[in-house]
């Protein structure tokens, strides 16, 4: 399994991450021991991805990282042992570099009748892309959800919200609803929006409005700033990518202005019944996808499906 991801240690370049799992199945001819199976998992060192990565680069990264951990690659022929069958199972996203790399590897083993290559697209990537497609039609809803989350998590607000919640609604309810930070909906990890929605649904509209009004009583709901300091600003139409950033509208906007804008929209959203109805509809309609994502991530389900269940089905 391999993928490229952003890495701060690599000076803004992407790092190629590979997990190598080796599964050996030996049929014991003599004795009563039966067949034996060994499985070994190892993580090679990270490798920097070129700024313009293509199939030839990704293929080289796979080869280098497998070699570094001593895993036999597809270039080592299995013909020397007529009872030795090798199966390489690659799992990656559906990016063009990954597709081209797998195509190159297929051509390199085409003459080796004892080597089989299987390739499947990562289920988690596909599920997150399904979520992204649904979110693309509700950008304003997503922007408001991300704004509420960022407001809660910024500038000591979580501490104020928890303390206010405890004073108004009790310690037990504060621990349940405000004891943890809401999960940020993240670009690329689109499925995380489900956990974010769960947090606000657990809080409930009435309690949130009550607590938010107590935490920010001095802010005018029109612009999120103290009354009498209202400023007119141009607003930009949110896109799916920018909806999760909640960045400054322009380079001259200060952090205080930004926080005031977030508070304004957070208080407005928390009092909007239509937004809460949409929150419930979106959350419940996405529940099957979220359940599948959790199942895939639990106990290496996909690897178990490929290596353990499929032979029994056949």
């Amino acid at each position: 399994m391999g993928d490229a991801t952003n890495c701060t240690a690599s000076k803004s370049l992407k790092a190629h991450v590979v997990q190598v799992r080796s599964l050996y199945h030996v049929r014991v001819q003599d004795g009563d021991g039966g067949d034996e199976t060994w499985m070994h998992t190892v993580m090679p060192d990270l490798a920097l991805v070129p700024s313009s990565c293509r199939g030839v680069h990704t293929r080289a990264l796979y080869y280098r990282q497998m070699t570094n951990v001593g895993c036999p690659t597809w270039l080592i022929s299995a013909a020397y042992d007529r009872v030795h069958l090798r199966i390489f199972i690659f799992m990656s996203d559906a990016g063009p570099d990954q597709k081209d790399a797998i195509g190159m590897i297929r051509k390199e083993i085409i003459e080796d009748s004892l080597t089989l290559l299987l390739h499947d697209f990562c289920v988690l990537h596909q599920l997150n892309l399904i979520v992204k497609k649904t979110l693309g039609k509700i950008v304003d809803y997503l922007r408001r959800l991300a704004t509420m989350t960022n407001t809660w998590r910024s500038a000591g607000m979580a501490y104020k919200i928890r303390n206010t919640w405890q004073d108004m609604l009790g310690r037990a309810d504060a621990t349940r609803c405000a004891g943890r930070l809401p999960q940020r909906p993240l670009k690329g990890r689109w499925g995380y929006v489900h956990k974010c929605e769960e947090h606000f649904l657990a809080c409930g509209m009435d309690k949130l409005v009550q607590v938010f009004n107590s935490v920010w009583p001095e802010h005018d709901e029109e612009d999120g700033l103290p009354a009498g300091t209202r400023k007119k600003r141009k607003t930009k139409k949110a896109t799916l990518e920018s909806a999760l950033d909640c960045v400054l509208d322009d380079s001259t906007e200060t952090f205080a202005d930004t926080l005031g804008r977030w508070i304004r929209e957070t208080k407005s959203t928390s009092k909007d019944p239509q937004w809460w109805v949409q929150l419930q509809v979106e959350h419940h309609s996405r529940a099957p996808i979220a359940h599948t994502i959790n199942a895939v991530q639990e106990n290496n389900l996909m690897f178990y499906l490929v290596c353990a269940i499929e032979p029994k089905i056949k």
Side-chain angles (χ1 to χ4, degrees):
M1 293 182 285
D3 191 18
T5 184
N6 294 319
C7 178
T8 56
S10 61
K11 298 180 180 180
S12 301
L13 294 176
K14 284 191 172 184
H16 195 255
V17 183
V18 170
Q19 184 183 71
V20 180
R21 292 182 178 179
S22 303
L23 179 68
Y24 300 91
H25 182 79
V26 178
R27 184 174 299 277
V28 180
Q29 300 294 339
D30 300 326
D32 300 328
D35 296 353
E36 296 184 5
T37 302
W38 299 275
M39 186 172 66
H40 181 65
T41 303
V42 63
M43 299 289 294
D45 292 337
L46 300 179
L48 294 183
V49 177
S51 55
S52 58
C53 185
R54 300 183 179 180
V56 62
H57 302 113
T58 301
R59 179 255 178 217
L61 290 171
Y62 276 125
Y63 179 81
R64 186 200 317 167
Q65 290 176 295
M66 291 176 65
T67 303
N68 287 345
V69 295
C71 179
T73 69
W74 59 90
L75 294 181
I76 301 178
S77 175
Y80 64 87
D81 186 351
R82 300 307 301 175
V83 297
H84 183 194
L85 175 64
R86 302 181 308 165
I87 303 176
F88 290 93
I89 305 176
F90 285 83
M91 183 174 290
S92 67
D93 61 28
D97 61 318
Q98 297 285 350
K99 291 181 178 180
D100 291 345
I102 298 301
M104 294 177 184
I105 297 174
R106 288 189 189 279
K107 293 179 181 179
E108 292 174 333
I109 65 170
I110 194 171
E111 301 294 335
D112 193 341
S113 60
L114 296 178
T115 299
L116 176 64
L117 186 146
L118 304 176
H119 178 233
D120 196 9
F121 298 126
C122 176
V123 176
L124 288 179
H125 277 82
Q126 303 304 312
L127 291 172
N128 279 291
L129 289 175
I130 293 173
V131 175
K132 179 182 179 181
K133 188 173 183 179
T134 64
L135 294 176
K137 301 178 181 179
I138 50 172
V139 175
D140 185 67
Y141 160 81
L142 180 62
R143 179 184 58 80
R144 298 173 75 181
L145 178 66
T147 301
M148 289 183 67
T149 303
N150 283 356
T151 305
W152 192 311
R153 297 176 64 103
S154 65
M157 290 300 179
Y159 179 78
K160 295 179 181 179
I161 292 173
R162 178 184 171 86
N163 286 348
T164 303
W165 205 299
Q166 181 173 318
D167 294 340
M168 300 180 66
L169 302 170
R171 181 187 296 271
D173 201 63
T175 301
R176 183 178 67 86
C177 298
R180 294 184 301 171
L181 295 174
Q183 168 66 56
R184 277 198 179 102
L186 301 174
K187 291 186 294 186
R189 303 294 184 264
W190 302 100
Y192 281 5
V193 70
H194 193 77
K195 295 181 179 180
C196 181
E197 293 167 336
E198 279 183 347
H199 181 90
F200 290 105
L201 285 173
C203 295
M205 175 180 174
D206 294 337
K207 293 180 181 179
L208 272 184
V209 171
Q210 186 179 356
V211 172
F212 285 172
N213 284 338
S214 180
V215 174
W216 304 300
E218 74 284 1
H219 283 76
D220 188 291
E221 294 181 18
E222 287 293 327
D223 55 15
L225 296 172
T229 60
R230 184 176 306 171
K231 298 178 181 179
K232 293 183 179 180
R233 298 188 186 90
K234 295 181 180 179
T235 57
K236 297 180 179 180
K237 186 177 180 180
T239 63
L240 180 58
E241 299 293 329
S242 66
L244 303 185
D245 291 333
C246 291
V247 295
L248 308 181
D249 281 344
D250 54 68
S251 59
T252 63
E253 188 177 36
T254 66
F255 177 75
D257 293 334
T258 305
L259 187 57
R261 176 164 52 85
W262 288 356
I263 292 174
R264 171 206 65 196
E265 188 158 7
T266 294
K267 293 184 68 177
S268 174
T269 301
S270 67
K271 297 179 180 181
D272 185 355
Q274 294 183 353
W275 185 86
W276 283 95
V277 171
Q278 187 175 12
L279 173 65
Q280 296 187 47
V281 171
E282 295 296 337
H283 181 75
H284 292 300
S285 65
R286 213 178 295 111
I289 301 176
H291 177 76
T292 306
I293 290 176
N294 293 335
V296 169
Q297 290 177 317
E298 183 178 359
N299 299 324
N300 299 320
L301 176 63
M302 287 308 301
F303 190 74
Y304 178 74
L305 286 172
V306 173
C307 299
I309 295 181
E310 186 177 359
K312 294 180 181 180
I313 295 177
K314 292 180 179 180

